[in-house]
Amino acid sequence: MYFQFKFSNLLGTVYRKGDIVFSKDGNSVYVPVGNKITQYDLRYDRSSTLPVEVTGNFTSLTLSPNGLILIGASDLGHLHMISVMRRRLLYTKVSRRPIRAVAFSPDSKYLAVARSSEVHMYRCHGMERRVFNPFETEKVCPAATSDVTCLSWSWDSRLVVFGSKDAVTRVVPVKLMDIGRQVVEISCGSSSIRGVHFIHGSYDFYVISKSGNILRFRCNLNPDELHEKIVRAKSEKRQRLKEMLDSEDCKDVNTWKKEHPAQNSWLSFSCDYRRSIATLLHLEAPEQKAVDTTTSAGLLALAQEDQDQRRNATAGITATCYHSVAKLLVVACDTGDFAVMDTNDECAVLHSLNVSSQVISSVALNLTGDWLALGVPDAGQLLVWELRSETYKLKQQGHRKSMTVVAYSPDGSRLASGGEDCKVKLWCTVSSFCFVTFSEHTAPVTGVVFTQSGGAVLSSSEDGELVAAGGKDCHQIYIFSLKLGSLLEVLSGHKGPVTSICFSSVTGSSFLASTALDGSLKLWDSINTSSARETIDLHADGVCVQLRPDGEQVCVSTMDGQLNMFNTSTAAHEGCIEGRRDMGLLRKDTDQITAEKMQLSKYFRVLCYSSDGHNIVAGGESRHVCIYSAVHQLLVKKFTITKNRTMDGALGAYDRFSMAHNGINMNTVERRTDGNEVSADRGIKLPGVAKGDKSLRAFRNEILVSDIAFAPTGRSFVVCCSEGLLIYSQDTDWLFDPVCLDTENTPSAVRKRLLRQEWSMALMMAIKLNISTVKQEVLESIPVDAMNVVLSGLAPLYVEGLLQHLAQGLENTRHVGLYARWARQALYLHGRALKTRAPQIISAINALHRALNYHHASLSKLCAANEFTLAYLRQQGAVLKHRKQKQEESDQKPEDVEMTQGNNHSNGNLSDDDGNDDNNADEDVLPECDASSESHILDF
C-alpha cells in the first residue's frame, strides 16, 4: 500500500515570486510557488499544485491563447513547457542566462523570451504537431545595452515592443521587412522600464517607467497602411534590382546602391501624452501643518508625517498589466498601492487601494476584467480583488518564515501549522485554504497538537505563554490541566534538556514517553505517579520519540542515526533500523569536508507512525523522507521532497559552475544589487538600516524536514520542510489495484450485468475491478429500493472496499444523499462483522466521517443563510393547500352556492352590518403552518 503514495498538494506556501497568470476562462489563476505551480480555482474555492517540479524557482509564466500550454521560466534560465490538461512537463529548454519575461503571440505561432539583454523569438511548432524540439529560433534581437525587463506583442503578431533597464523602448518586427530600419529606439526618461503594452487594433503602445511616468506613443501608420507599404516596398525592390541589372555603369553593386538610395522609411512614433502616477494616486506631499513641537505627541506626529512623505517620495512602479478589451491599465507600487485606470479617458483613475505594506511584484487581470490578482512576495500573500463589488474574492497568506511543526486533526479534515513567524495557521485539507490565523505568540512556535475531540488546538513556543510540556533549561516535564488551566504535575528525572515527549493516543490512557540529551528514554504513568516507570539507556542522545497508535510500542531516534523500538509493557528491545545511509549525501556551501564525511553525522530529527502502526515515516536534514516497515525493519520507499538546486545542499557536492578560478564558491560571496530588483530578488536588509541601503546580505535556504504527521485516515501524510507542507496521498484513479480478479471480470461485463438488473453481481464485480469510474456507475445505477437486498448479500471483504469508495466519492459527488444512504445501510447491516476488523477499516471509517462532516458543515451554513426563505416557502405552501381545499368544497356543493345566492337577492334590504358580517365569515382564514403541511410543501 505504501508504494502508492505520490505528491498530492502543497500547503503553507502561497506565493514567493514570479508572474501570476489567469486561465483562459478566467476562473482559475496559476501562481508560482518556488519550483512548483499552484492552481487556484476561484469558482469552487479550491487549490491544487501541479505535479511538476523543476530544478529552479519559477520567475515568469505565460499561457498560450488556447489555454492548453503553460510556459514557465526559472531563475536558472530554463524554459519549461507544461500541459495544462495532462498536468505534465512536456519539454525543457536549457540555458544559462536569466530570463526576465516570456509572452506568447496572439496567434500562438511565436514565443518571445527576454533573456538577459536579448529577445529571442521562437517558432512554436510543438503547439501544432509533435516534434523533437518545439522551440525553433526565428529571430534574435540583441539591441538592448542592458537587461530587458518587459515585452509585449501587437494584436496581429507582427511587432514586438520591449523595454530595458537603460530606459529605452525598442520596437522590432518578427520577420524581416525591407522598408528601412528594423529597430525603432525610443528614449523614455532616466529610469528603467516596468511595462510596455500594445493597444488592440493599432500599433500605439503605453510605456510605464519605474519612476511613475505613463507615456503613450502614437504610430504614424495603421495596420492596413503598413501592409500596403510592405507590398509596395517589395515591388520597388524588384524594380530597383531590374534597373540595376539594366544599367550599363553598374560595376559595383554597393556603389550603385549608395548612388541610388531607397526612399522607404520605417515606422515612427510620437509621444501622445504623459502622466505621472504620483499625481494620479495623489501621492504628492501634503501641505505642511502647524505642529506643536513642545510636546511628545507633536514630535511623534511630525516624525510620522516625515515618514509618510519619504514613503510617497520613493514610491516606484513594480508591476503593470493591461486589458486590451476593457481598456484598463493596472499599475502597482512598491508602497503596496495599486491603481486601475481607464485608458479611454487619458488614464483617469477608476479605483485605487493600498492592500499591503510590502512590495507588490505581480498583477494580472482575468478575461472579463472583473478580477485582479496581486502577489506580495515579502509577505507570501496572494490577493484576488473583485473590481465591481470592491471586495476580496481570495485572500491567502502563508508563513513568512520557515514552518517548524504540523499536526492533523482527529478526523483528518484540518491541518495546524506553526512557524518561525510566531503564527499558527489552520488549513482545510479539502480546499487547501487557510481559514484561521493565530498571532498571539511572540516567539517561534515549537509545537502544535489537536485535542482528542478536534475542537481545539494547543500550541507552544519559546515565549512560554501557552502550554509547554518539555523544559530545555530545567530538564523537567510539566503537565497542565486544560479544564482548570493549572499545573498538575512536574516530572523530574532527566539529566539533560528534554527534546521530545509523546502521549499515548489510546482513549483514557495517561502513558507518556520522553527522551532527552542525556541518552535515556523514560516511560511515565503521568497521573498515578511522578516517577518514571521505566528508564531505558540509549547508545546516543535521543532526538525524537513516538508511540504506536495502540500504545504497545515506542520508537526513538538517536544521534547515531538509528531508530530503536521498545515494548512499552516489558521495555524489551524489539528492533533497530540503521537509517544513516538512507538519508543520502548532503553538502552545504560552507562545509569544509566531503559529503561522505558529513553523512556520518546525520540522523533523523522527526518520525511518525502510520495510522495502522505497521510503518514508520522518518526525515531530517536531508532531501529524502523514508518509510520503514516496523515489523521487518526494512526500507519500504524513499521520497525526494525537492529537486530545487537553488537550495543549499541540494546537489550533494559543490556546484562546479559556481566555483571561481581561485577555488572560491561564489554562492558564499555577498552580492550588492543595483536597486532595480523587486522584492524577493533582493537580499535581507540589515536591522536598522534605511530603505535603499546597499548593506544587504544574501542567503540560501537549507533543506530540512522539521516535522511529519500521518493522517488518521491512513491515506495521506504531510511533510513540513523548507518548501512548505508537502502532502503525499494515495490516488486510486491512476493505479489499477484489483481484488480477486479473474479473466471474466471486465468493465464491459459489469455493464452487461447492469443491463440484466443483476445488481449484487454487478456491484461485486465492480469492487473486484477497483476502478473508481466503474464503481461510481454501478452505485448510481442501482435503485434505492434494492439497496438493502444488495448489501445483505455482500461479503464483508467487499464491504470494506465499498466504504473506501464511498469515502472518496462523497468529497466530489453531487449525490450526497444517495452516498450517505449507502454508507448508513452498509454500517447498519454489517456493523457487527466490521467491528471485529476495526484496525483494518479504521482509515476508511475516518475518511467517511471526515467527508460527512464537511458536507454537514457546508449544508448547515446554506440552510442558516436561507432560513427565512424556507419559512416563506412553507407558508406559501400552506396557503395553496388551504385554497385548494376551499376550491374542492365549492365544487362539491354547487347547488348550495346557487341557493345561497338566491337568498341573498331576496334579502336585499338587510343592513350593511349584516352584509359585512357575512363577508367576514366568507373570508379565507389562513391556518398556521404545522408539521402536517410538510408533505404538500415538498410537493410544491
Side-chain angles (χ1 to χ4, degrees):
M1 181 178 71
Y2 293 91
F3 292 97
Q4 303 177 12
F5 284 98
K6 69 170 185 177
F7 174 76
S8 175
N9 207 348
L10 173 64
L11 276 69
T13 306
V14 177
Y15 174 74
R16 286 187 178 175
K17 66 176 182 178
D19 298 335
I20 299 175
V21 179
F22 272 96
S23 61
K24 181 183 178 181
D25 57 0
N27 296 326
S28 300
V29 59
Y30 296 95
V31 180
V33 185
N35 63 339
K36 299 180 180 63
I37 299 176
T38 301
Q39 179 184 4
Y40 289 89
D41 192 341
L42 302 178
R43 175 178 294 181
Y44 299 103
D45 294 332
R46 292 193 177 188
S47 69
S48 61
T49 303
L50 302 181
V52 175
E53 187 177 8
V54 299
T55 56
N57 296 319
F58 285 105
T59 56
S60 299
L61 295 179
T62 183
L63 193 66
S64 62
N66 57 9
L68 299 179
I69 299 296
L70 181 66
I71 300 294
S74 64
D75 50 6
L76 300 179
H78 300 173
L79 276 177
H80 304 278
M81 178 187 292
I82 303 171
S83 173
V84 176
M85 182 180 299
R86 297 293 183 181
R87 300 166 65 91
R88 292 293 183 269
L89 180 64
L90 302 180
Y91 184 81
T92 299
K93 187 175 182 62
V94 180
S95 177
R96 287 293 174 184
R97 288 183 294 175
I99 297 175
R100 295 283 182 174
V102 291
F104 268 103
S105 62
D107 58 1
S108 301
K109 293 182 179 180
Y110 300 99
L111 177 69
V113 179
R115 182 179 286 118
S116 186
S117 60
E118 299 176 347
V119 175
H120 294 249
M121 300 181 191
Y122 298 101
R123 181 181 292 274
C124 302
H125 291 295
M127 315 305 166
E128 302 173 357
R129 60 180 185 271
R130 297 181 181 180
V131 294
F132 179 75
N133 183 10
F135 300 106
E136 179 185 350
T137 303
E138 177 74 20
K139 188 175 183 180
V140 178
C141 304
T145 58
S146 60
D147 292 342
V148 178
T149 57
C150 54
L151 56 88
S152 176
W153 285 87
S154 62
W155 65 278
D156 56 358
S157 303
R158 286 184 176 181
L159 304 178
V160 174
V161 57
F162 58 91
S164 56
K165 291 182 179 179
D166 57 1
V168 177
T169 303
R170 295 169 175 85
V171 181
V172 296
V174 178
K175 294 184 178 181
L176 185 62
M177 299 180 182
D178 296 330
I179 55 175
R181 294 183 297 121
Q182 297 298 311
V183 178
V184 178
E185 296 185 354
I186 305 171
S187 179
C188 301
S190 59
S191 59
S192 61
I193 307 301
R194 286 302 188 198
V196 288
H197 306 285
F198 268 111
I199 299 176
H200 184 74
S202 67
Y203 293 142
D204 303 345
F205 60 87
Y206 290 96
V207 177
I208 301 96
S209 62
K210 180 188 175 183
S211 59
N213 292 324
I214 302 176
L215 300 92
R216 172 173 172 168
F217 289 92
R218 188 177 299 277
C219 182
N220 62 332
L221 297 177
N222 57 38
D224 296 334
E225 293 176 348
L226 178 62
H227 178 69
E228 295 177 358
K229 195 170 185 178
I230 293 174
V231 174
R232 187 169 59 253
K234 289 182 179 180
S235 62
E236 292 177 357
K237 182 179 180 181
R238 289 193 296 267
Q239 183 67 25
R240 291 179 67 247
L241 180 61
K242 184 178 179 181
E243 293 177 0
M244 183 183 66
L245 295 177
D246 295 340
S247 177
E248 297 180 356
D249 57 348
C250 180
K251 297 180 180 180
D252 187 3
V253 177
N254 295 329
T255 304
W256 190 90
K257 287 184 177 181
K258 291 181 180 179
E259 294 177 355
H260 302 79
Q263 300 299 325
N264 298 323
S265 61
W266 179 232
L267 300 175
S268 62
F269 295 88
S270 59
C271 184
D272 193 3
Y273 61 81
R274 179 192 297 263
R275 294 291 182 270
S276 175
I277 188 63
T279 304
L280 293 174
L281 295 181
H282 305 287
L283 294 179
E284 61 272 7
E287 297 181 358
Q288 295 288 340
K289 298 180 181 180
V291 179
D292 185 10
T293 58
T294 59
T295 61
S296 59
L299 292 174
L300 183 61
L302 181 61
Q304 182 67 26
E305 184 178 354
D306 293 340
Q307 183 179 359
D308 294 339
Q309 292 180 7
R310 289 196 303 268
R311 173 176 176 268
N312 296 335
T314 58
I317 303 300
T318 56
T320 64
C321 178
Y322 180 69
H323 197 283
S324 58
V325 179
K327 305 296 183 181
L328 297 178
L329 177 64
V330 181
V331 295
C333 305
D334 55 4
T335 56
D337 298 276
F338 78 89
V340 182
M341 307 176 187
D342 185 7
T343 57
N344 291 326
D345 192 12
E346 295 186 354
C347 293
V349 178
L350 300 178
H351 180 71
S352 62
L353 185 69
N354 181 272
V355 295
S356 176
S357 60
Q358 307 294 333
V359 179
I360 301 175
S361 65
S362 180
V363 293
L365 282 167
N366 70 336
L367 180 64
T368 59
D370 296 332
W371 291 339
L372 173 64
L374 305 103
V376 185
D378 290 342
Q381 196 172 24
L382 174 66
L383 307 171
V384 177
W385 181 261
E386 189 171 359
L387 299 179
R388 293 179 181 271
S389 61
E390 296 185 359
T391 56
Y392 285 108
K393 175 62 179 176
L394 175 68
K395 189 176 183 179
Q396 288 291 304
Q397 182 177 4
H399 289 275
R400 298 185 62 177
K401 297 182 180 179
S402 300
M403 284 167 284
T404 54
V405 289
V406 65
Y408 263 106
S409 62
D411 58 354
S413 61
R414 295 179 298 276
L415 272 173
S417 64
E420 296 180 355
D421 57 352
C422 313
K423 293 182 180 179
V424 176
K425 291 179 175 290
L426 298 184
W427 307 81
C428 177
T429 57
V430 178
S431 63
S432 303
F433 283 173
C434 174
F435 59 93
V436 174
T437 299
F438 302 99
S439 57
E440 283 77 9
H441 286 292
T442 58
V445 180
T446 58
V448 292
V449 64
F450 278 92
T451 58
Q452 292 184 354
S453 62
V457 60
L458 307 179
S459 63
S460 63
S461 68
E462 296 179 357
D463 55 11
E465 294 180 358
L466 297 182
V467 176
K472 293 184 178 180
D473 298 332
C474 54
H475 310 161
Q476 294 176 342
I477 301 173
Y478 304 92
I479 299 178
F480 295 86
S481 172
L482 294 180
K483 294 183 178 180
L484 303 177
S486 58
L487 180 65
L488 294 181
E489 193 68 50
V490 178
L491 306 180
S492 304
H494 283 292
K495 300 179 181 179
V498 180
T499 57
S500 178
I501 63 171
C502 181
F503 264 109
S504 175
S505 59
V506 179
T507 305
S509 175
S510 61
F511 187 79
L512 176 69
S514 65
T515 185
L517 296 181
D518 56 359
S520 65
L521 170 67
K522 293 185 179 293
L523 307 179
W524 311 79
D525 190 355
S526 57
I527 295 181
N528 297 331
T529 179
S530 60
S531 60
R533 193 181 71 181
E534 293 288 348
T535 300
I536 303 173
D537 294 330
L538 306 174
H539 296 287
D541 293 340
V543 180
C544 182
V545 62
Q546 282 291 327
L547 285 166
R548 204 166 63 184
D550 58 0
E552 298 296 329
Q553 189 183 77
V554 60
C555 181
V556 58
S557 173
T558 56
M559 286 189 175
D560 57 357
Q562 294 182 354
L563 299 177
N564 294 278
M565 290 160 283
F566 300 92
N567 188 289
T568 56
S569 301
T570 62
H573 188 265
E574 295 184 348
C576 178
I577 299 175
E578 177 61 42
R580 181 173 291 170
R581 297 291 180 181
D582 300 329
M583 300 184 70
L585 300 178
L586 181 66
R587 184 177 182 179
K588 302 178 183 177
D589 295 332
T590 56
D591 292 339
Q592 302 298 325
I593 59 177
T594 61
E596 289 77 8
K597 292 294 184 181
M598 287 295 299
Q599 190 180 24
L600 300 178
S601 62
K602 303 298 180 184
Y603 55 87
F604 290 115
R605 295 176 179 264
V606 290
L607 60 94
C608 179
Y609 272 97
S610 61
S611 58
D612 55 6
H614 294 165
N615 293 269
I616 299 175
V617 187
E621 194 175 352
S622 170
R623 57 193 180 101
H624 298 294
V625 173
C626 304
I627 297 183
Y628 294 97
S629 174
V631 179
H632 304 93
Q633 291 89 44
L634 295 175
L635 179 65
V636 177
K637 192 172 183 179
K638 185 163 60 174
F639 297 92
T640 302
I641 60 175
T642 183
K643 298 179 182 178
N644 196 345
R645 293 188 178 183
T646 61
M647 304 189 71
D648 195 4
L651 295 177
Y654 279 139
D655 185 7
R656 61 186 179 90
F657 294 102
S658 63
M659 299 295 293
H661 65 280
N662 54 2
I664 298 178
N665 190 351
M666 299 303 297
N667 292 330
T668 61
V669 178
E670 295 185 1
R671 61 188 179 92
R672 295 180 183 269
T673 61
D674 57 356
N676 289 324
E677 294 182 351
V678 178
S679 169
D681 295 334
R682 296 195 295 259
I684 299 178
K685 293 189 289 290
L686 290 175
V689 300
K691 181 178 180 181
D693 192 270
K694 298 289 185 178
S695 301
L696 302 179
R697 54 186 178 183
F699 78 102
R700 298 179 68 192
N701 288 330
E702 298 180 358
I703 299 178
L704 177 65
V705 178
S706 56
D707 202 0
I708 298 175
F710 221 100
T713 59
R715 302 193 61 84
S716 63
F717 66 91
V718 60
V719 178
C720 181
C721 62
S722 305
E723 292 284 354
L725 300 179
L726 303 178
I727 298 180
Y728 294 86
S729 63
Q730 298 179 18
D731 191 355
T732 56
D733 293 337
W734 64 279
L735 185 65
F736 179 63
D737 186 18
V739 180
C740 302
L741 186 65
D742 53 14
T743 57
E744 297 180 356
N745 193 358
T746 60
S748 58
V750 175
R751 294 184 178 93
K752 289 180 180 179
R753 297 284 184 177
L754 287 177
L755 293 176
R756 299 174 186 173
Q757 297 186 358
E758 298 178 2
W759 313 122
S760 300
M761 185 60 65
L763 181 59
M764 192 178 302
M765 293 172 64
I767 296 175
K768 284 183 178 181
L769 279 176
N770 201 15
I771 301 177
S772 298
T773 55
V774 177
K775 289 188 288 186
Q776 178 182 357
E777 182 180 356
V778 172
L779 283 178
E780 296 178 1
S781 301
I782 298 177
V784 179
D785 299 337
M787 186 182 299
N788 292 336
V789 179
V790 172
L791 289 174
S792 300
L794 201 63
L797 178 63
Y798 303 122
V799 174
E800 298 177 12
L802 177 62
L803 292 177
Q804 292 179 0
H805 174 72
L806 291 174
Q808 297 175 12
L810 270 172
E811 296 182 356
N812 301 318
T813 185
R814 58 181 180 180
H815 306 292
V816 180
L818 178 63
Y819 278 67
R821 178 174 291 187
W822 272 103
R824 184 187 63 181
Q825 292 301 115
L827 295 175
Y828 178 76
L829 296 174
H830 298 273
R832 292 187 179 181
L834 295 174
K835 189 175 182 180
T836 58
R837 297 177 53 84
Q840 288 77 16
I841 66 170
I842 188 63
S843 60
I845 298 298
N846 288 334
L848 190 64
H849 183 258
R850 182 188 68 180
L852 291 175
N853 278 344
Y854 172 76
H855 286 292
H856 178 267
S858 59
L859 291 176
S860 298
K861 294 179 181 178
L862 181 63
C863 293
N866 296 282
E867 179 181 359
F868 296 102
T869 304
L870 293 175
Y872 172 76
L873 293 176
R874 293 183 62 185
Q875 184 68 21
Q876 291 298 316
V879 170
L880 291 176
K881 181 181 178 180
H882 182 71
R883 290 180 178 176
K884 186 177 180 180
Q885 291 177 355
K886 282 287 187 179
Q887 185 66 27
E888 291 177 355
E889 293 177 357
S890 62
D891 294 341
Q892 291 177 0
K893 301 179 180 180
E895 298 179 356
D896 297 341
V897 174
E898 294 177 357
M899 293 177 61
T900 305
Q901 292 178 354
N903 293 333
N904 290 336
H905 286 295
S906 61
N907 298 329
N909 55 353
L910 292 177
S911 64
D912 293 339
D913 295 338
D914 295 339
N916 292 334
D917 294 338
D918 294 340
N919 293 333
N920 293 334
D922 292 338
E923 290 181 356
D924 294 340
V925 179
L926 298 180
E928 296 183 357
C929 182
D930 53 0
S932 61
S933 62
E934 289 186 356
S935 59
H936 184 78
I937 295 170
L938 293 178
D939 295 338
F940 170 73

